[in-house]
Amino acid sequence: MAVKDAIRVAMLGCGTVGGEVVRLLRDQADELTARAGAPVELVGVAVRRPHKHPELGALLTTDASALVTREDVDVVVEVIGGIEPARSLLLEALKAGKSVVTANKALLAEDGATLAEAADASGADLYYEASVAGAIPLLRPLRESLAGDRITRVAGIVNGTTNFILSAMTESGASYADALDEATRLGYAEADPSADVDGYDAASKAAILATLAFHTRVTSADVHCEGIREVTAADIAAATGLGCVIKLLAICERAPATADAPESVSARVYPAMIPTTHPLAAVDGAFNAVFVEAEAAGQLMFYGQGAGGAPTASAVLGDLVAVARNRVVGGRGPRESAYASLPIRPMGTVPTRYHVSLDVADRAGVLSTIAGEFARHGVSIAAVRQSGGGTTYDGAPDPEPGAPARLVLVTHAAPEAALATCVAALTGLEAVHGVDSVLRVEDLGRKGVR
């Protein structure tokens, strides 16, 4: 196609990220022109409440559909989020031959395949680096730099809000509620933090990462998802006692074929203990970090600011420059790669180690009864610690003699389904007063869990 004098950009939304995109387009106009090979010109911004953006003047419109289909628009940048109207608007743009840059993780995780098919049909580009981990260059390495390698695992911290909360609980001994209040006060948590603390945000990102890493379409519905609401100060202390910290992890793995099952993909999000010797354990505050493991490249770590207006806008501008370059030279960016089409591994078959804390009757024979229940369900016990009956875990005098005993068991790797049925059986035992917590223990390829 013939290249125009300028690459003309329409933007959907102008909130925290959109405002930073506008600022960078203006402040770095000359440099962006040099990098892209042509001027990058903002020609319209669609918003719901124009009166909140008087500085944009004649660029403003409330008719997003008309904006994305304008003949003089080359690229549509979408930063409004959510499923609709974003999906309909981006499909309109792609069908009209406009390239798309989006930060919309929820849409990509739910229906990225439809967008990719529309882009392929029209020959347009679809870029979305800003949808995962903010400013951290992560998706492009997965899609391009590691295209010649076989990725086996992508795992890490991809939600800054939950990482801030868990870091605060670890550092100060604060409760979950107090740490969440602090995160809200500092602006790290939304007024409704559900998407973050219940794991949905991380699950969307896990779906995008698994799709790229394993050349398989993975949606948010395929990702097993648990949040951090149930993590307690006692859980944090227990992790410390094991030489671990608790992090909300997104883990995407390629499971090799076995005699009973074909090669498959596992994607899951949950809080887990990881050893303090692992680099992810040192990632504190609102930062993100992701480990990528590949057969030839080995272990790679990506670290940085995973959210915020300026960091996310940086990723949007990087994609915008890439799209503009493609337009200038008449080329196209990488297409969707879903050739592997691997099945999703059922969560019940995924093996993990577990930390199980029980309140039990303080009498002889209880431990053997509980150990027998684990054995009956095929869950092997790696370590046991007990307080009560006059002693604590470390053999010191119990500060509360006569209180129910606390029994903590750490298992060897066992399938999720086996552990779940075992825990259900334990709750029915007369000697078990309650199951206080069940947390997974992930070493992520590193030694250090005692």
Side-chain angles (χ1 to χ4, degrees):
M1 65 180 275
V3 178
K4 302 176 182 178
D5 292 337
I7 303 300
R8 297 166 68 82
V9 178
M11 193 162 74
L12 304 178
C14 196
T16 302
V17 175
E20 285 295 314
V21 171
V22 172
R23 181 184 67 80
L24 291 172
L25 281 171
R26 290 174 169 174
D27 292 353
Q28 301 182 16
D30 291 342
E31 290 182 80
L32 291 172
T33 297
R35 294 169 193 160
V40 180
E41 179 185 350
L42 184 64
V43 298
V45 181
V47 295
R48 288 185 297 172
R49 294 180 287 272
H51 66 276
K52 290 194 171 185
H53 309 278
E55 74 282 1
L56 295 179
L59 290 175
L60 291 171
T61 179
T62 57
D63 192 344
S65 180
L67 177 62
V68 301
T69 54
R70 269 173 46 179
E71 287 192 6
D72 63 334
V73 167
D74 301 303
V75 185
V76 173
V77 173
E78 184 266 314
V79 287
I80 56 178
I83 306 302
E84 290 293 353
R87 172 167 45 197
S88 297
L89 292 170
L90 293 187
L91 286 174
E92 282 188 77
L94 290 167
K95 289 174 182 177
K98 321 297 184 185
S99 291
V100 162
V101 173
T102 177
N104 196 329
K105 54 187 171 287
L107 175 57
L108 290 163
E110 179 173 301
D111 203 14
T114 299
L115 297 181
E117 289 168 359
D120 283 343
S122 68
D125 278 333
L126 174 63
Y127 278 70
Y128 45 92
E129 183 68 57
S131 65
V132 179
I136 304 171
L138 176 59
L139 302 190
R140 191 169 286 119
L142 291 178
R143 186 160 69 168
E144 300 177 37
S145 304
L146 294 171
D149 208 339
R150 181 182 174 89
I151 297 172
T152 55
R153 178 191 286 159
V154 180
I157 299 162
V158 295
N159 183 272
T161 300
T162 52
N163 200 53
F164 178 90
I165 291 170
L166 293 172
S167 295
M169 292 175 71
T170 301
E171 292 166 7
S172 67
S175 68
Y176 164 78
D178 289 342
L180 174 59
D181 287 344
E182 178 70 1
T184 304
R185 185 182 69 80
L186 295 174
Y188 292 122
E190 302 287 346
D192 179 2
S194 300
D196 295 319
V197 300
D198 291 329
Y200 303 131
D201 173 85
S204 293
K205 295 169 181 176
I208 295 168
L209 291 171
T211 295
L212 288 177
F214 308 129
H215 307 280
T216 295
R217 288 177 174 173
V218 179
T219 71
S220 51
D222 298 319
V223 181
H224 176 84
C225 180
E226 298 175 27
I228 66 167
R229 289 185 192 267
E230 303 304 316
V231 176
T232 66
D235 292 328
I236 299 290
T240 301
L242 285 173
C244 294
V245 295
I246 297 177
K247 298 291 186 181
L248 183 73
L249 298 178
I251 303 175
C252 310
E253 291 179 323
R254 182 195 294 263
T258 66
D260 301 319
E263 184 178 27
S264 60
V265 169
S266 168
R268 64 238 195 224
V269 168
Y270 45 59
M273 296 182 180
I274 59 173
T276 55
T277 54
H278 196 284
L280 288 177
V283 179
D284 291 328
F287 280 77
N288 285 190
V290 176
F291 255 80
V292 177
E293 298 179 28
E295 289 186 355
Q299 290 188 328
L300 308 170
M301 182 173 176
F302 300 83
Y303 168 83
Q305 295 190 60
T312 306
S314 170
V316 170
L317 264 291
D319 279 351
L320 185 53
V321 168
V323 170
R325 286 172 176 164
N326 292 340
R327 290 260 164 177
V328 168
V329 301
R332 297 173 64 183
R335 322 315 304 158
E336 181 193 31
S337 175
Y339 71 88
S341 193
L342 298 173
I344 305 301
R345 184 174 189 177
M347 185 61 190
T349 68
V350 175
T352 313
R353 300 177 66 200
Y354 297 90
H355 176 279
V356 183
S357 178
L358 308 169
D359 276 337
V360 300
D362 184 10
R363 63 172 184 262
V366 169
L367 177 56
S368 63
T369 298
I370 291 172
E373 201 64 46
F374 274 83
R376 189 168 71 86
H377 289 88
V379 181
S380 175
I381 297 172
V384 178
R385 298 184 182 187
Q386 180 175 347
S387 64
T391 60
T392 64
Y393 297 144
D394 302 319
D398 193 329
E400 299 182 53
R406 173 67 55 82
L407 195 62
V408 174
L409 305 99
V410 179
T411 75
H412 291 293
E416 172 86 9
L419 192 281
T421 55
C422 179
V423 169
L426 290 172
T427 61
L429 295 179
E430 180 270 334
V432 176
H433 297 167
V435 178
D436 287 341
S437 72
V438 177
L439 280 169
R440 295 167 181 86
V441 181
E442 297 278 358
D443 61 20
L444 299 176
R446 295 296 183 99
K447 295 180 180 179
V449 179
R450 297 196 297 272

